[in-house]
Amino acid sequence: MQVGPAGGPGPVGQARAAAPVVQARTDPGFFRKLMGSLNVLRQPTRTAMVMSGIGAAALALDVAATANIGNPFLFANRRDTWKEISGRLESGRADLWRAFFDEVSPNWQGEAEQALQTHLRFNTNGLFGVLRKVSDDMSTTMQGQYKEVLEYDLSVFAIYAASAPIFKTLTALSTTNPVARGALMAYVATFAGGLGNLVKQFADVYNGYETELNKLELKLNDLRAAFWTGGDPDRGPRRLGLPPGVTDPGNINDDYWQRAPHHR
C-alpha cells in the first residue's frame, strides 16, 4: 500500500528497491583476436624449439604459458555488473528514505510511524549497507582480476611477437650454419626462461585471486549473518518484515496510526 496524505498506512509508498537486473554486454572480441594472432606466432616458435634439439622443456612451458591465457572481458563484465548492482542498491535505499520523509513523516504520526522509522533505520538501511558493501568489493575484485589477466595476456603475446621473427631467421640459417644453430639453441634456452617467468606470473595472479576470494568469503559471512538466524540457513531466515500492525488498514486513525494535525 502507498502512504500519503490520502493513502492508507504502508511501508514504501511510491518507492521500490530497484531490482539488480543488468543488461547483457557484448564481448568486444579482444580475446578471440589475441588468440588468433598468438597461434600464428607460435608456429615458427614451436618449429624452432623442435629443430634446436633442446626444446622439450620449452615446448612444455609453451603449452603451460598459453593455456593459462584468459578472457579479460569475463572479469570486466562482472566488474560492471556488480558496479551497476551497487548503484541500484544505493538508489533503492535513497528512494525508501525519501518515500518515508516525503510521504509518511509529514502526513502520519503515532506508534506505527515510529515503528516504520525504526524498521527503516535499523533493519532495512543496514541490509542495504551490507548488500552494497559486498557489491562494491566484488566489483573492485573483478577490476583487479581484469587488470591482472589483461597484463598476463599482453605479456605472453609480447614475448611471442618479439621472438617469432628471430626464430624464423635462426631456423632458416641453422640448417647450413653451425654458428646459427648454436645461436638457435641459446635463444631457445633464453626463450624458455621467459616462458618460465610467465608461468610464475600466472601463479602470482592465481594466488592473488584466491586471496581476494577469501576476503570476499569473509564479507559474505556478514551477509549471511544479516539474513539468516545465527548466519546459518538451516536455522531459518531472520524476521525482516514490518510488524503486521504497520500495514493493517484497520489501524488507521486510532492510537497506532494517526493522521498529522494538518490532515485531520
Side-chain angles (χ1 to χ4, degrees):
M1 285 178 290
Q2 296 182 354
V3 177
V12 178
Q14 303 261 335
R16 290 185 178 89
V21 178
V22 294
Q23 296 181 350
R25 298 176 178 84
T26 303
D27 190 332
F30 164 82
F31 179 69
R32 183 174 61 255
K33 295 174 183 177
L34 177 72
M35 289 303 300
S37 300
L38 182 61
N39 287 333
V40 173
L41 295 172
R42 288 179 71 194
Q43 294 175 6
T45 303
R46 291 170 67 86
T47 299
M49 292 177 186
V50 173
M51 290 185 62
S52 70
I54 61 168
L59 285 169
L61 289 170
D62 162 77
V63 172
T66 55
N68 290 330
I69 290 179
N71 187 352
F73 168 77
L74 299 177
F75 294 97
N77 183 34
R78 287 166 173 79
R79 173 202 63 194
D80 293 341
T81 296
W82 282 107
K83 183 164 56 179
E84 188 171 342
I85 289 174
S86 179
R88 286 173 178 264
L89 286 168
E90 177 58 22
S91 295
R93 186 198 66 81
D95 287 347
L96 282 172
W97 276 111
R98 290 316 318 165
F100 176 80
F101 286 113
D102 293 344
E103 299 178 22
V104 180
S105 185
N107 304 307
W108 298 91
Q109 60 186 21
E111 294 181 28
E113 189 269 345
Q114 290 298 318
L116 178 57
Q117 182 176 169
T118 299
H119 175 78
L120 291 176
R121 187 180 303 276
F122 296 105
N123 195 349
T124 305
N125 191 63
L127 294 176
F128 269 103
V130 173
L131 288 167
R132 186 185 172 195
K133 178 62 175 173
V134 171
S135 299
D136 288 350
D137 289 342
M138 287 292 292
S139 182
T140 299
T141 297
M142 293 301 104
Q143 167 60 23
Q145 291 310 303
Y146 161 76
K147 174 179 176 293
E148 294 289 349
V149 170
L150 180 61
E151 288 180 351
Y152 178 80
D153 290 354
L154 294 179
S155 296
V156 173
F157 182 81
I159 192 173
Y160 278 90
S163 299
I166 298 174
F167 276 131
K168 281 184 178 180
T169 301
L170 292 177
T171 299
L173 294 175
S174 63
T175 56
T176 58
N177 190 328
V179 176
R181 181 171 180 79
L184 176 63
M185 296 172 65
Y187 197 77
V188 166
T190 301
F191 183 75
L195 292 179
N197 288 333
L198 287 174
V199 173
K200 181 182 181 302
Q201 181 180 342
F202 175 79
D204 292 339
V205 172
Y206 182 86
N207 289 330
Y209 190 39
E210 287 293 305
T211 298
E212 291 300 320
L213 287 177
N214 183 66
K215 293 179 181 178
L216 287 172
E217 186 174 2
L218 294 175
K219 290 182 171 60
L220 288 173
N221 288 338
D222 296 338
L223 191 60
R224 282 192 290 268
F227 284 93
W228 302 97
T229 302
D232 183 3
D234 292 336
R235 296 178 60 183
R238 295 188 184 279
R239 295 184 178 180
L240 303 176
L242 285 165
V246 174
T247 57
D248 185 355
N251 290 330
I252 297 177
N253 293 325
D254 62 9
D255 291 338
Y256 200 64
W257 272 111
Q258 300 176 23
R259 291 187 183 276
H262 60 282
H263 284 295
R264 289 176 179 172

